[in-house]
Amino acid sequence: MSAERSVTIKDVAAHAAVSVATVSAVMNENKYVSPELAQRVRASIAALGYKRNNFARGLKTQVSHSIGLVIPDIMNPFYTNIARGVEDVTHTHNYSLIIGNTDEDPEKEKKYLHLLDSKQADGLIIAVTDHSFEYLQELPLQNLALVGIDRSLIELGIDTVLVNNTVGTRTAIEHLIGLGHRRIGLVTGARGITPTEERLVGYTEALEKHGIAVDPALIATARARVDGGERGAHQLLTLEDRPTALFLMDGTMVIGAMRAIAQLGLRCPEEIALICFDDFAWAPVMRPHLTVVDQPTYEIGKQAAHLLFERLQHQERAPREVRLQTRFIVRESCGSHLRSPDALSRFHA
Amino acid sequence: MSAERSVTIKDVAAHAAVSVATVSAVMNENKYVSPELAQRVRASIAALGYKRNNFARGLKTQVSHSIGLVIPDIMNPFYTNIARGVEDVTHTHNYSLIIGNTDEDPEKEKKYLHLLDSKQADGLIIAVTDHSFEYLQELPLQNLALVGIDRSLIELGIDTVLVNNTVGTRTAIEHLIGLGHRRIGLVTGARGITPTEERLVGYTEALEKHGIAVDPALIATARARVDGGERGAHQLLTLEDRPTALFLMDGTMVIGAMRAIAQLGLRCPEEIALICFDDFAWAPVMRPHLTVVDQPTYEIGKQAAHLLFERLQHQERAPREVRLQTRFIVRESCGSHLRSPDALSRFHA
DNA sequence: CTGAAAGCGCTAACAA
DNA sequence: TTGTTAGCGCTTTCAG
């Protein structure tokens, strides 16, 4: 069973009665070809249903017209949106997008990096699992353009796009403080990665600005998944002196937190206020409607892809770090509307 | 700026003082090579940091070790999970996964098909946008193994994996009927695609079985997105003789439906019962907790990928259609717990 | 303006 | 058991 010999550039040349060089020239539009010939060639291509072989092309040019996206988990809505953003611009460039989930496992990450490298991907957008800085540098990925997302890689001279985590967090925490909260619990994801550390800074800054001491007991570290959020929230909510508000670092964790709250028979926001990073379609349809620090996820992906294609053109351009703004969306879970009719009406507007 | 000439198999051969054929043989393990030589070759590979050029390899072998996944939208959790399932098995095969979103646009779909074809993807998993049957056949995709998901392609001799839509829907509708509902509204996605049509059959069967006439006014067709769900639900709920229950065909639409319900000031499930296809992490954290027809989405992706890799091995195997079972999960939005303490306790168990 | 021909790096006959 | 070599299909000088 062998598929019939697929049609090659030679066949097209023969059919159009020109040389292969001419066929190549019309396809690449990089040489003058008389209109008549060009026309004949195009007709032959259509007639034969010819499609250029990407292997042969790549072998010659060393470009694959594909880029990779390496992220922890596509099922996390944060990354899903990013992926969509990346994919949309990739598509407009007629490139293809290869996706790899690392599950925050450095080994898996390394494997993907090598896989994409051997596939001769032209570039890579990556949310590194931890500050694997040296590791990334050591990798023999010389020909691979890189763009980091979510975790800053600018110190490595790698283009990066992320959000202003510090400000986003500080704003939310100050809002809570303004509502009278003094014991504010924080459930973080993995330590050491940019978003966690920067948000921790925002948290600390907000507290200190208002003369509130940071209580380490109020900071739980957990897996950035539903179960992690549940565990982290549970841990904090079963403290003798439990917090009156909780800040979750991601949109999956907050689902776990709500489970923990329900399980402990607490009422949100009356007994425990709740704010989290990431907005999503169902946030407004949860009870209570979630107050969130929204990240422009789709835009992150888009910008990262733009940066990547830019670098593909201009290898030598200086590395850039793009900081996108978060948006604080007050709904109900922070308890604003309990004290301030204003906030509530703003939401319902 | 030219990256230094990358090391080739020739360099390795020279370094190890053997022929290129030997180097190739040890890498592919398809020929006997004496342990000493093999050792030497491996050492040279490591020493030189040699990585096989995928273009050259593919040009020769015509296999790319990559497959494509063409879906309407990765942001729909249904497809997100499928993608993850596909990706996981792709990864174990050391293949890479190329993703394309069609947005249900046949042109975009066609473009992706061609892109993947020209990239010489070894196979493709696809959720076709509509019954583009002839279209798919006409495509000169001879060398591309295909697997359909969600939409049945078995009549085209293409492996397919989907769920038992008819049974899933019938069960849910009968549950509603058992609860006393007689006017049950249906918000469908695009007509003509397998899931829509099969669920329509399930709906009809359930009604007819209980001697209830199908009222066309109770069936709304809409875009399978949040906004479509909202519009469709709104349309049905503003009928003079509005339904007492709503069945939504997908997990994004139901969010829209809940918005419509809230906007119309209706209480769910007291005034309007609600059931939808697809379960998701946040379904249990919505108020009311959503009663759903769960689809094993991750498993669909996994099975589809398995089918694809199987076909890659055995081109001639007869096409198969895999039907996975849905699971009816009673929570609160159907109103069961209002009438039946049993159902409620079952949920809380 | 068009064509001939030399590889790109690898695999797999075929020889030795 | 190992090596020689002919392409895979395309791009791109370089001649004409």
PDB file of all heavy atoms in Angstrom, chain A residues 76-98:
ATOM      1  N   ASN A  76      -5.819  25.026  32.477  1.00  0.00           N
ATOM      2  CA  ASN A  76      -5.963  26.217  33.297  1.00  0.00           C
ATOM      3  C   ASN A  76      -6.404  27.363  32.377  1.00  0.00           C
ATOM      4  O   ASN A  76      -5.692  27.727  31.453  1.00  0.00           O
ATOM      5  CB  ASN A  76      -4.627  26.539  33.959  1.00  0.00           C
ATOM      6  CG  ASN A  76      -4.720  27.743  34.874  1.00  0.00           C
ATOM      7  OD1 ASN A  76      -5.531  28.640  34.653  1.00  0.00           O
ATOM      8  ND2 ASN A  76      -3.899  27.754  35.894  1.00  0.00           N
ATOM      9  N   PRO A  77      -7.583  27.925  32.668  1.00  0.00           N
ATOM     10  CA  PRO A  77      -8.151  28.941  31.772  1.00  0.00           C
ATOM     11  C   PRO A  77      -7.180  30.077  31.481  1.00  0.00           C
ATOM     12  O   PRO A  77      -7.219  30.673  30.408  1.00  0.00           O
ATOM     13  CB  PRO A  77      -9.357  29.466  32.564  1.00  0.00           C
ATOM     14  CG  PRO A  77      -9.693  28.399  33.525  1.00  0.00           C
ATOM     15  CD  PRO A  77      -8.437  27.650  33.825  1.00  0.00           C
ATOM     16  N   PHE A  78      -6.332  30.355  32.429  1.00  0.00           N
ATOM     17  CA  PHE A  78      -5.331  31.396  32.212  1.00  0.00           C
ATOM     18  C   PHE A  78      -4.508  31.062  30.975  1.00  0.00           C
ATOM     19  O   PHE A  78      -4.341  31.882  30.076  1.00  0.00           O
ATOM     20  CB  PHE A  78      -4.435  31.507  33.459  1.00  0.00           C
ATOM     21  CG  PHE A  78      -3.291  32.456  33.308  1.00  0.00           C
ATOM     22  CD1 PHE A  78      -3.520  33.822  33.249  1.00  0.00           C
ATOM     23  CD2 PHE A  78      -1.991  31.986  33.239  1.00  0.00           C
ATOM     24  CE1 PHE A  78      -2.456  34.708  33.115  1.00  0.00           C
ATOM     25  CE2 PHE A  78      -0.925  32.864  33.109  1.00  0.00           C
ATOM     26  CZ  PHE A  78      -1.154  34.228  33.048  1.00  0.00           C
ATOM     27  N   TYR A  79      -4.028  29.840  30.899  1.00  0.00           N
ATOM     28  CA  TYR A  79      -3.215  29.436  29.763  1.00  0.00           C
ATOM     29  C   TYR A  79      -4.049  29.142  28.517  1.00  0.00           C
ATOM     30  O   TYR A  79      -3.588  29.310  27.398  1.00  0.00           O
ATOM     31  CB  TYR A  79      -2.353  28.223  30.132  1.00  0.00           C
ATOM     32  CG  TYR A  79      -1.306  28.570  31.151  1.00  0.00           C
ATOM     33  CD1 TYR A  79      -1.368  28.061  32.443  1.00  0.00           C
ATOM     34  CD2 TYR A  79      -0.278  29.444  30.833  1.00  0.00           C
ATOM     35  CE1 TYR A  79      -0.421  28.403  33.390  1.00  0.00           C
ATOM     36  CE2 TYR A  79       0.676  29.796  31.773  1.00  0.00           C
ATOM     37  CZ  TYR A  79       0.604  29.273  33.048  1.00  0.00           C
ATOM     38  OH  TYR A  79       1.541  29.626  33.978  1.00  0.00           O
ATOM     39  N   THR A  80      -5.263  28.713  28.721  1.00  0.00           N
ATOM     40  CA  THR A  80      -6.126  28.478  27.569  1.00  0.00           C
ATOM     41  C   THR A  80      -6.268  29.750  26.753  1.00  0.00           C
ATOM     42  O   THR A  80      -6.115  29.751  25.531  1.00  0.00           O
ATOM     43  CB  THR A  80      -7.532  28.035  28.024  1.00  0.00           C
ATOM     44  OG1 THR A  80      -7.426  27.052  29.035  1.00  0.00           O
ATOM     45  CG2 THR A  80      -8.312  27.482  26.856  1.00  0.00           C
ATOM     46  N   ASN A  81      -6.545  30.843  27.451  1.00  0.00           N
ATOM     47  CA  ASN A  81      -6.718  32.114  26.757  1.00  0.00           C
ATOM     48  C   ASN A  81      -5.432  32.585  26.106  1.00  0.00           C
ATOM     49  O   ASN A  81      -5.443  33.122  25.005  1.00  0.00           O
ATOM     50  CB  ASN A  81      -7.209  33.178  27.739  1.00  0.00           C
ATOM     51  CG  ASN A  81      -8.654  32.945  28.128  1.00  0.00           C
ATOM     52  OD1 ASN A  81      -9.263  31.956  27.738  1.00  0.00           O
ATOM     53  ND2 ASN A  81      -9.199  33.858  28.899  1.00  0.00           N
ATOM     54  N   ILE A  82      -4.357  32.401  26.816  1.00  0.00           N
ATOM     55  CA  ILE A  82      -3.067  32.776  26.248  1.00  0.00           C
ATOM     56  C   ILE A  82      -2.846  31.994  24.961  1.00  0.00           C
ATOM     57  O   ILE A  82      -2.454  32.544  23.931  1.00  0.00           O
ATOM     58  CB  ILE A  82      -1.934  32.504  27.250  1.00  0.00           C
ATOM     59  CG1 ILE A  82      -1.980  33.536  28.368  1.00  0.00           C
ATOM     60  CG2 ILE A  82      -0.583  32.519  26.545  1.00  0.00           C
ATOM     61  CD1 ILE A  82      -0.906  33.370  29.422  1.00  0.00           C
ATOM     62  N   ALA A  83      -3.128  30.706  25.028  1.00  0.00           N
ATOM     63  CA  ALA A  83      -2.923  29.846  23.865  1.00  0.00           C
ATOM     64  C   ALA A  83      -3.741  30.353  22.683  1.00  0.00           C
ATOM     65  O   ALA A  83      -3.283  30.391  21.545  1.00  0.00           O
ATOM     66  CB  ALA A  83      -3.292  28.403  24.191  1.00  0.00           C
ATOM     67  N   ARG A  84      -4.962  30.783  22.990  1.00  0.00           N
ATOM     68  CA  ARG A  84      -5.803  31.267  21.911  1.00  0.00           C
ATOM     69  C   ARG A  84      -5.233  32.533  21.306  1.00  0.00           C
ATOM     70  O   ARG A  84      -5.238  32.728  20.086  1.00  0.00           O
ATOM     71  CB  ARG A  84      -7.215  31.511  22.464  1.00  0.00           C
ATOM     72  CG  ARG A  84      -8.286  31.761  21.425  1.00  0.00           C
ATOM     73  CD  ARG A  84      -8.205  30.769  20.269  1.00  0.00           C
ATOM     74  NE  ARG A  84      -9.505  30.565  19.677  1.00  0.00           N
ATOM     75  CZ  ARG A  84      -9.872  31.039  18.474  1.00  0.00           C
ATOM     76  NH1 ARG A  84      -9.023  31.713  17.745  1.00  0.00           N
ATOM     77  NH2 ARG A  84     -11.073  30.799  18.018  1.00  0.00           N
ATOM     78  N   GLY A  85      -4.732  33.402  22.158  1.00  0.00           N
ATOM     79  CA  GLY A  85      -4.121  34.623  21.673  1.00  0.00           C
ATOM     80  C   GLY A  85      -2.916  34.329  20.785  1.00  0.00           C
ATOM     81  O   GLY A  85      -2.770  34.886  19.699  1.00  0.00           O
ATOM     82  N   VAL A  86      -2.096  33.426  21.251  1.00  0.00           N
ATOM     83  CA  VAL A  86      -0.917  33.047  20.478  1.00  0.00           C
ATOM     84  C   VAL A  86      -1.349  32.428  19.154  1.00  0.00           C
ATOM     85  O   VAL A  86      -0.846  32.775  18.085  1.00  0.00           O
ATOM     86  CB  VAL A  86      -0.063  32.022  21.252  1.00  0.00           C
ATOM     87  CG1 VAL A  86       1.034  31.469  20.356  1.00  0.00           C
ATOM     88  CG2 VAL A  86       0.541  32.660  22.495  1.00  0.00           C
ATOM     89  N   GLU A  87      -2.303  31.562  19.241  1.00  0.00           N
ATOM     90  CA  GLU A  87      -2.723  30.846  18.042  1.00  0.00           C
ATOM     91  C   GLU A  87      -3.268  31.799  16.991  1.00  0.00           C
ATOM     92  O   GLU A  87      -2.995  31.639  15.797  1.00  0.00           O
ATOM     93  CB  GLU A  87      -3.786  29.799  18.426  1.00  0.00           C
ATOM     94  CG  GLU A  87      -3.813  28.591  17.524  1.00  0.00           C
ATOM     95  CD  GLU A  87      -4.738  28.810  16.347  1.00  0.00           C
ATOM     96  OE1 GLU A  87      -5.758  29.515  16.505  1.00  0.00           O
ATOM     97  OE2 GLU A  87      -4.442  28.279  15.268  1.00  0.00           O
ATOM     98  N   ASP A  88      -4.025  32.775  17.432  1.00  0.00           N
ATOM     99  CA  ASP A  88      -4.606  33.702  16.463  1.00  0.00           C
ATOM    100  C   ASP A  88      -3.537  34.443  15.676  1.00  0.00           C
ATOM    101  O   ASP A  88      -3.652  34.570  14.459  1.00  0.00           O
ATOM    102  CB  ASP A  88      -5.545  34.689  17.162  1.00  0.00           C
ATOM    103  CG  ASP A  88      -6.905  34.071  17.423  1.00  0.00           C
ATOM    104  OD1 ASP A  88      -7.157  32.966  16.906  1.00  0.00           O
ATOM    105  OD2 ASP A  88      -7.710  34.669  18.155  1.00  0.00           O
ATOM    106  N   VAL A  89      -2.501  34.893  16.357  1.00  0.00           N
ATOM    107  CA  VAL A  89      -1.507  35.623  15.561  1.00  0.00           C
ATOM    108  C   VAL A  89      -0.644  34.651  14.764  1.00  0.00           C
ATOM    109  O   VAL A  89      -0.276  34.926  13.629  1.00  0.00           O
ATOM    110  CB  VAL A  89      -0.691  36.683  16.365  1.00  0.00           C
ATOM    111  CG1 VAL A  89      -1.148  36.816  17.780  1.00  0.00           C
ATOM    112  CG2 VAL A  89       0.773  36.470  16.247  1.00  0.00           C
ATOM    113  N   THR A  90      -0.376  33.519  15.353  1.00  0.00           N
ATOM    114  CA  THR A  90       0.359  32.497  14.609  1.00  0.00           C
ATOM    115  C   THR A  90      -0.339  32.201  13.289  1.00  0.00           C
ATOM    116  O   THR A  90       0.289  32.089  12.238  1.00  0.00           O
ATOM    117  CB  THR A  90       0.424  31.202  15.438  1.00  0.00           C
ATOM    118  OG1 THR A  90       1.033  31.479  16.691  1.00  0.00           O
ATOM    119  CG2 THR A  90       1.241  30.151  14.723  1.00  0.00           C
ATOM    120  N   HIS A  91      -1.632  32.107  13.374  1.00  0.00           N
ATOM    121  CA  HIS A  91      -2.433  31.779  12.203  1.00  0.00           C
ATOM    122  C   HIS A  91      -2.338  32.848  11.120  1.00  0.00           C
ATOM    123  O   HIS A  91      -2.246  32.534   9.934  1.00  0.00           O
ATOM    124  CB  HIS A  91      -3.883  31.579  12.641  1.00  0.00           C
ATOM    125  CG  HIS A  91      -4.810  31.256  11.527  1.00  0.00           C
ATOM    126  ND1 HIS A  91      -5.804  32.114  11.137  1.00  0.00           N
ATOM    127  CD2 HIS A  91      -4.880  30.194  10.706  1.00  0.00           C
ATOM    128  CE1 HIS A  91      -6.460  31.576  10.120  1.00  0.00           C
ATOM    129  NE2 HIS A  91      -5.931  30.413   9.838  1.00  0.00           N
ATOM    130  N   THR A  92      -2.344  34.105  11.549  1.00  0.00           N
ATOM    131  CA  THR A  92      -2.263  35.173  10.545  1.00  0.00           C
ATOM    132  C   THR A  92      -0.908  35.161   9.844  1.00  0.00           C
ATOM    133  O   THR A  92      -0.785  35.646   8.733  1.00  0.00           O
ATOM    134  CB  THR A  92      -2.476  36.574  11.162  1.00  0.00           C
ATOM    135  OG1 THR A  92      -1.369  36.880  11.997  1.00  0.00           O
ATOM    136  CG2 THR A  92      -3.741  36.627  11.974  1.00  0.00           C
ATOM    137  N   HIS A  93       0.086  34.611  10.503  1.00  0.00           N
ATOM    138  CA  HIS A  93       1.407  34.534   9.871  1.00  0.00           C
ATOM    139  C   HIS A  93       1.578  33.243   9.057  1.00  0.00           C
ATOM    140  O   HIS A  93       2.665  32.969   8.581  1.00  0.00           O
ATOM    141  CB  HIS A  93       2.500  34.614  10.935  1.00  0.00           C
ATOM    142  CG  HIS A  93       2.714  35.974  11.495  1.00  0.00           C
ATOM    143  ND1 HIS A  93       3.746  36.782  11.113  1.00  0.00           N
ATOM    144  CD2 HIS A  93       2.003  36.693  12.400  1.00  0.00           C
ATOM    145  CE1 HIS A  93       3.689  37.936  11.770  1.00  0.00           C
ATOM    146  NE2 HIS A  93       2.630  37.904  12.562  1.00  0.00           N
ATOM    147  N   ASN A  94       0.527  32.484   8.998  1.00  0.00           N
ATOM    148  CA  ASN A  94       0.613  31.201   8.311  1.00  0.00           C
ATOM    149  C   ASN A  94       1.635  30.253   8.923  1.00  0.00           C
ATOM    150  O   ASN A  94       2.266  29.456   8.231  1.00  0.00           O
ATOM    151  CB  ASN A  94       0.944  31.397   6.833  1.00  0.00           C
ATOM    152  CG  ASN A  94      -0.317  31.511   6.032  1.00  0.00           C
ATOM    153  OD1 ASN A  94      -1.124  30.583   6.015  1.00  0.00           O
ATOM    154  ND2 ASN A  94      -0.507  32.653   5.392  1.00  0.00           N
ATOM    155  N   TYR A  95       1.777  30.405  10.199  1.00  0.00           N
ATOM    156  CA  TYR A  95       2.644  29.503  10.932  1.00  0.00           C
ATOM    157  C   TYR A  95       1.774  28.458  11.625  1.00  0.00           C
ATOM    158  O   TYR A  95       0.569  28.637  11.763  1.00  0.00           O
ATOM    159  CB  TYR A  95       3.404  30.289  11.997  1.00  0.00           C
ATOM    160  CG  TYR A  95       4.775  30.740  11.568  1.00  0.00           C
ATOM    161  CD1 TYR A  95       4.935  31.582  10.484  1.00  0.00           C
ATOM    162  CD2 TYR A  95       5.910  30.317  12.260  1.00  0.00           C
ATOM    163  CE1 TYR A  95       6.194  32.003  10.096  1.00  0.00           C
ATOM    164  CE2 TYR A  95       7.174  30.743  11.885  1.00  0.00           C
ATOM    165  CZ  TYR A  95       7.316  31.584  10.805  1.00  0.00           C
ATOM    166  OH  TYR A  95       8.563  32.004  10.442  1.00  0.00           O
ATOM    167  N   SER A  96       2.389  27.393  12.071  1.00  0.00           N
ATOM    168  CA  SER A  96       1.598  26.497  12.903  1.00  0.00           C
ATOM    169  C   SER A  96       2.132  26.480  14.326  1.00  0.00           C
ATOM    170  O   SER A  96       3.283  26.808  14.585  1.00  0.00           O
ATOM    171  CB  SER A  96       1.521  25.103  12.306  1.00  0.00           C
ATOM    172  OG  SER A  96       2.765  24.627  11.948  1.00  0.00           O
ATOM    173  N   LEU A  97       1.260  26.113  15.221  1.00  0.00           N
ATOM    174  CA  LEU A  97       1.527  26.217  16.654  1.00  0.00           C
ATOM    175  C   LEU A  97       1.587  24.833  17.278  1.00  0.00           C
ATOM    176  O   LEU A  97       0.630  24.074  17.219  1.00  0.00           O
ATOM    177  CB  LEU A  97       0.400  26.996  17.309  1.00  0.00           C
ATOM    178  CG  LEU A  97       0.657  27.842  18.555  1.00  0.00           C
ATOM    179  CD1 LEU A  97      -0.502  27.718  19.518  1.00  0.00           C
ATOM    180  CD2 LEU A  97       1.973  27.574  19.238  1.00  0.00           C
ATOM    181  N   ILE A  98       2.706  24.552  17.895  1.00  0.00           N
ATOM    182  CA  ILE A  98       2.870  23.269  18.584  1.00  0.00           C
ATOM    183  C   ILE A  98       2.760  23.504  20.081  1.00  0.00           C
ATOM    184  O   ILE A  98       3.436  24.374  20.628  1.00  0.00           O
ATOM    185  CB  ILE A  98       4.244  22.662  18.265  1.00  0.00           C
ATOM    186  CG1 ILE A  98       4.366  22.418  16.759  1.00  0.00           C
ATOM    187  CG2 ILE A  98       4.453  21.384  19.046  1.00  0.00           C
ATOM    188  CD1 ILE A  98       5.719  21.917  16.337  1.00  0.00           C
TER     189      ILE A  98
END
